[in-house]
Each structure stands twice: as C-alpha cells, then as structure tokens.
Amino acid sequence: MFPRRALPALAAFVVAALVSACGGTRPEAPPEAPVTPLPPARVDPVVPPVRIGLALGGGAAKGFAHIGVIKMLEANGFKPDVVAGTSAGSVVGALYASGMDPFQLQEKAVALDEASIRDVRLFAGGLVQGLKLQDYVNEQVGKRPIERMPRPFAAVATRLETGERTVFVRGNAGQAVRASSSVPGVFEPVTIGSWQYVDGGVVSPVPVDAARELGADFVIAVDISSKARGKRPDGMLGIVNQSIAIMGQRLGEQELARADVVIRPNVLDYGSADFTRRNQAILEGEKAALAALPQIRAQLEQLQAQRLAAAREQQARLAAQREAALVPPPKPACEDEGSRWNPLRRKDAACGASN
C-alpha cells in the first residue's frame, strides 16, 4: 500500500500521463490536391444586327408588285430597316416608311382610284401636273416630312438642268415622291427651290446606292423596270417608260450589281398604265420574294458570321494588348547585384560589356 501522503503525487502523475496521451502528435491529414481554376468562360462580343435596306425600282403601275415583296419578306421575319424608292417605288416606299404594314398597303392599293392621282393639264400639252399625286401621298403619310418617318426613307429623282441624281431624305414627302415619279413627257417637271426635277429612273432605276447611303448593310433590290425585249410597248406611257429603261439600262445593271439580292417579279408584260392588274402584280411580287428567301437567309447568315468573326478577332487583339500592359518589363542584367561581382559566380557577360 502506498502511504497516504503519496496519493496526491500519484494522482498528479496519472493526470499528467492521460493529458500526455491525449495531446500526442496526431497523424497529419494528407495535403489537399491543388485546385486548378477553370479558365474564364468565353463570352462572344455583342454584334449589332444587320441593317436591311429595301431598294424599290420604278415601273409605273407595275409598282404594285413591291407590296407583294414586302408582304412576303415581313411574313418570313425579314423586316427592312430602311427603304429607298424610285418613281413608283418611291410611292410604295413612302407609305411603307410612314408606318403602314403590308396589309394596309394592299388595302390602299385595292382602293386606289387612278383619277385621284392623275391631274391632266390640257394647256400644258396634256401633261400630268402631279399635284394630285403629291397631295395623295402627303395625306397617306399624315402630312409628315420625310425626316419624321418611323423608318428612314429616300426618294430618288433626277435634276433636269444637270442630270445629277438627287436623293431626298428631308422635307415634303409628297413633293419628293412627285419629283421622283415625274416621267419626262408625261408629267410636268417639279420645281423645288431653284431646280427642276424629273423621274429618278433616268439615272437610278433601282436605288441600291441610296439604300446604302441610308445605312443599310444588306440591300434587297426589287427590279420591275421595262426591258427592251423586241416587243412593242402599249400606249404613250409604255413607250416613254421603255425609252427611259433603255437609257438607264446600263446604269441600272451597274447599280443592281451592288445589291446583295435582286428580286424580279414577273410583271414585264404588264402595261405601265394598267391599274386593273394590281392584284396579279401583288401576287407576282409575293411569288418572286418567296423564291428569293433561301438566298436572302443564307447571305444574311454568312454576313452575320463574318461580322462575329471580325468582332472576335478584335476582342482577342484587345485582350492580348491588355495582358501585355500588365506584365512588367524585365530588369536589365546589371541591376542584379548578385550577377555582377559575386565571388562565387563568374562575372555576368552583359554587365561586363556595359561596364
């Protein structure tokens, strides 16, 4: 037996042994595997949508085909952002730019009375004055000037004194359309300011360039102009229209070549003054646009892909420039004292050369 006075010392020894056993060195946990951060997700740059331009050519009563083209384009999701028109194309273009949808355009076309836009002046050699056409257009667009149209619009006319192409993008919409539609020999020239203007088809039968000038990236041209095909045109208006088409045919071909897609409704046999076939003309416009849809879709996708590729390349170039700016330039070898005269290392060659 232990002496009574030895018990406290024994108790202290047991407690110390227990504490020592509990506080022993624990086995170390295995080191955690290093976490490799994922590379930042690649975010494509934002590319603005392609701006579609519509170039509506001249062709008198055959211009009803433009309505069918617009109907089919919008029905398939292609809504033009800007529109330019020559002659009959300027009439349809102005109404469309004012905010009318294709079905409203068709309603206007069906209800149109030819007498409401034709004012023959006997004392001017039987020429059409064109004031009725001007008033009709201004009434349909709510008397708004061109620059206040919901959709950017341009009417193309020819300056009679110089033969220059003139693009109206501001001012009286009806007057600009009247100037663009004033077929020489049929309409009186229109005086605006100090100049006189006649039909835009003389210099720009299908206004592709005007649509580009409005900011279009992709131009759909609608060509309804008369062609010299060995057939005799009907009536005075038909003769004049074909004469203008012959004069501007070479210019028209050059300008049409600058369009992305050209739609040609089958209305060449329609009379220039035949308002009775307006419904057939609209239908021919729909059919021609429907046939062109695969080409329009493919070319738009290609253009958008090219723009995205260019934006990605620019993004990568800017990122490389930013990274290069964050990396400090390397120190010259001579600034490292250990590499200059360290007795345990040979003298740095570059420092030796500089010193």
Side-chain angles (χ1 to χ4, degrees):
M1 294 184 62
F2 290 97
R4 185 184 297 259
R5 60 172 172 259
L7 288 177
L10 179 61
F13 174 79
V14 172
V15 170
L18 291 174
V19 171
S20 176
C22 293
T25 304
R26 295 182 179 178
E28 295 184 0
E32 294 183 1
V35 177
T36 304
L38 293 175
R42 177 176 176 176
V43 178
D44 273 332
V46 177
V47 179
V50 175
R51 285 174 60 84
I52 300 176
L54 194 59
L56 304 178
K62 294 181 287 186
F64 291 110
H66 292 316
I67 298 174
V69 171
I70 295 171
K71 280 181 62 179
M72 193 54 61
L73 290 177
E74 285 211 0
N76 286 273
F78 301 112
K79 194 167 185 178
D81 298 286
V82 303
V83 59
T86 290
S87 196
S90 72
V91 180
V92 176
L95 271 58
Y96 183 48
S98 72
M100 290 187 190
D101 62 40
F103 295 98
Q104 289 174 311
L105 291 175
Q106 185 165 351
E107 288 178 358
K108 297 294 181 183
V110 171
L112 179 63
D113 180 9
E114 187 180 354
S116 65
I117 59 172
R118 181 171 295 178
D119 44 2
V120 178
R121 299 226 300 179
L122 298 178
F123 297 104
L127 296 180
V128 177
Q129 184 181 15
L131 188 58
K132 278 191 174 182
L133 174 62
Q134 175 176 324
D135 292 341
Y136 171 80
V137 171
N138 278 332
E139 179 183 354
Q140 299 303 317
V141 303
K143 296 182 171 56
R144 280 176 294 188
I146 296 175
E147 66 270 20
R148 289 181 55 194
M149 298 280 196
R151 179 179 284 107
F153 168 67
V156 179
T158 304
R159 184 176 291 178
L160 186 59
E161 291 84 353
T162 63
E164 295 177 7
R165 179 186 72 116
T166 302
V167 181
F168 291 100
V169 294
R170 299 182 62 83
N172 189 310
Q175 190 177 50
V177 169
R178 175 187 173 191
S180 179
S181 306
S182 292
V183 180
V186 179
F187 281 74
E188 295 178 6
V190 180
T191 301
I192 302 176
S194 57
W195 304 98
Q196 288 190 314
Y197 297 91
V198 294
D199 195 296
V202 175
V203 291
S204 182
V206 186
V208 175
D209 294 340
R212 297 275 187 206
E213 291 162 9
L214 285 175
D217 305 310
F218 185 91
V219 177
I220 301 171
V222 186
D223 181 18
I224 56 171
S225 59
S226 300
K227 304 291 188 296
R229 300 182 300 153
K231 296 182 66 175
R232 181 178 299 175
D234 297 329
M236 182 182 67
L237 183 58
I239 294 171
V240 172
N241 268 321
Q242 182 150 319
S243 300
I244 292 174
I246 292 170
M247 289 186 293
Q249 197 161 344
R250 186 61 57 85
L251 283 174
E253 289 173 357
Q254 295 174 358
E255 191 165 2
L256 281 171
R258 295 190 284 273
D260 296 283
V261 174
V262 179
I263 298 175
R264 291 186 172 92
N266 187 20
V267 293
L268 295 182
D269 294 329
Y270 289 31
S272 299
D274 189 358
F275 280 68
T276 64
R277 304 181 72 179
R278 66 189 80 186
N279 287 325
Q280 292 95 321
I282 293 173
L283 180 59
E284 290 297 337
E286 292 179 11
K287 289 163 61 177
L290 181 62
L293 286 176
Q295 181 187 6
I296 293 171
R297 186 172 289 109
Q299 291 193 216
L300 277 173
E301 290 175 355
Q302 181 181 9
L303 178 58
Q304 191 71 2
Q306 291 172 350
R307 289 156 62 101
L308 180 59
R312 284 172 174 170
E313 183 179 347
Q314 174 71 6
Q315 184 184 56
R317 187 162 48 247
L318 292 175
Q321 292 174 356
R322 286 194 296 268
E323 290 178 5
L326 295 175
V327 176
K331 292 182 179 181
C334 293
E335 291 186 8
D336 185 354
E337 294 297 332
S339 66
R340 294 182 65 187
W341 292 105
N342 190 326
L344 300 179
R345 298 169 60 187
R346 63 183 180 84
K347 180 181 177 182
D348 187 271
C351 290
S354 61
N355 292 330

